[in-house]
Amino acid sequence: MTNVLEYLKWRGDIEVDYDGFCEVDGIVMSALAYIPFELAGDMIESPVTLEEVASQLLKTENLQDKLMFKNDYKLLEEIKSCNRFGSVLLYDYVNKVDSETQTQFSAITAKITKGLYCVCFRGTDQ
């Protein structure tokens, strides 16, 4: 296994309830902090599964041009059909960018399983 995409292909069919959350799962969740969830429109304002929002984002015209990292498109494709992360519930998305105040912050909460949450955040894009 050489990268996150290979991990998702290898372990994506195994739910976290069966084989617990690990460090590589944390890397997958960290990558979500760089996804522009605002492109999903109103959908992201209420709790939504990662599968649902990934499917919606993948319909976005010229999505590749709007992503920060080129592999994020493939990440969304893998997660969309992944038992391990598809049912993760996302909510409380925030994306604040203000060049005047030099503010740059983005975060989203992910409910992975009952009692297991992950807050994915980033402060800069560089």
Side-chain angles (χ1 to χ4, degrees):
M1 179 179 60
T2 60
N3 62 42
V4 170
L5 297 174
E6 284 188 22
Y7 172 74
L8 290 173
K9 289 177 184 174
W10 176 57
R11 301 292 284 185
D13 62 329
I14 301 172
E15 295 182 14
V16 174
D17 282 336
Y18 180 77
D19 187 23
F21 193 82
C22 70
E23 293 87 358
V24 182
D25 295 323
I27 293 169
V28 172
M29 299 310 294
S30 294
L32 293 179
Y34 293 90
I35 301 294
F37 288 108
E38 66 272 10
L39 296 176
D42 294 344
M43 170 184 255
I44 200 64
E45 291 180 12
S46 58
V48 62
T49 66
L50 188 46
E51 177 184 5
E52 291 169 326
V53 76
S55 295
Q56 181 65 30
L57 287 171
L58 289 167
K59 295 176 188 175
T60 303
E61 188 174 327
N62 300 318
L63 179 62
Q64 290 278 31
D65 300 333
K66 298 170 185 173
L67 296 171
M68 199 170 301
F69 302 106
K70 68 177 184 172
N71 277 339
D72 284 348
Y73 191 90
K74 292 177 184 174
L75 177 70
L76 288 170
E77 285 183 319
E78 285 298 323
I79 283 178
K80 178 180 73 133
S81 59
C82 175
N83 289 341
R84 192 157 186 85
F85 294 103
S87 63
V88 166
L89 195 60
L90 301 175
Y91 55 96
D92 293 338
Y93 178 64
V94 174
N95 187 38
K96 296 194 183 274
V97 178
D98 185 339
S99 58
E100 189 174 305
T101 62
Q102 296 184 359
T103 301
Q104 193 172 43
F105 177 78
S106 182
I108 192 161
T109 303
K111 181 180 180 184
I112 298 166
T113 63
K114 183 179 179 181
L116 179 60
Y117 295 81
C118 183
V119 178
C120 313
F121 64 93
R122 64 179 160 86
T124 63
D125 61 1
Q126 300 293 327

